Amino acid sequence: RLHQGTLTVLPAPFDLAANACHLNRYANGGTTAATATLTGTIAPGDVFVVCNPQAGNVLLPLCDVTTSLITFNGDDAMELECGTTKYDVIGQIGFDPGTQWGSSPTTTLDATLRRKCSVTVGDTNGGDAFDPSVEWAGFPTDTFSGLGDPACAP
């Protein structure tokens, strides 16, 4: 239930497949990733929404692509990588926080997170300590308003 606004406005369309983009999920403090290859193109100023295929009738029409890799229990780190360049990490790779990172309402367990307006680049260091309240605003679970909108959270 994580989503974010646009971090950087792309000057030209960005082809995810041509740039070898993928999501990596590091489960329960692991250091070996389960990977999902991303396909599609992100237009300048657009947002690319990735969802679990079982997301439900309200959310699925807002998704650009679905993958079963998007399953969260609150303590898995997720990384966006294109080629060998890391663009963003949520969580801390190699560390199991127990149940979640953060605390209500800005937590990785049963909450919706949106990137704060003050954040203009992703967290590229997956090994550093992770506190979601530093870069993310927390909302109740299943808060879909604004999903796919490039606006950030206040």
Side-chain angles (χ1 to χ4, degrees):
R1 304 213 180 89
L2 306 170
H3 71 280
Q4 66 187 55
T6 300
L7 295 176
T8 304
V9 176
L10 301 170
F14 187 82
D15 185 321
L16 295 165
N19 286 284
C21 296
H22 49 276
L23 291 175
N24 299 319
R25 184 182 74 224
Y26 298 87
N28 304 317
T31 56
T32 301
T35 299
T37 300
L38 297 174
T39 59
T41 301
I42 305 174
D46 197 7
V47 174
F48 194 81
V49 179
V50 182
C51 303
N52 184 289
Q54 298 176 355
N57 294 334
V58 174
L59 185 56
L60 285 174
L62 304 173
C63 305
D64 292 300
V65 68
T66 61
T67 174
S68 59
L69 183 79
I70 303 293
T71 57
F72 293 102
N73 63 2
D75 69 350
D76 296 341
M78 291 292 298
E79 173 183 59
L80 171 62
E81 186 174 42
C82 295
T84 58
T85 302
K86 296 174 187 338
Y87 283 94
D88 205 1
V89 179
I90 298 170
Q92 182 179 355
I93 298 169
F95 177 75
D96 187 344
T99 307
Q100 66 199 29
W101 281 282
S103 58
S104 186
T106 312
T107 175
T108 56
L109 178 66
D110 296 332
T112 298
L113 299 178
R114 290 191 71 187
R115 201 55 116 346
K116 292 180 179 179
C117 295
S118 60
V119 180
T120 58
V121 296
D123 177 2
T124 60
N125 183 355
D128 63 352
F130 180 70
D131 176 357
S133 68
V134 173
E135 294 190 6
W136 302 86
F139 300 90
T141 189
D142 296 336
T143 301
F144 301 137
S145 63
L147 182 63
D149 181 349
C152 52

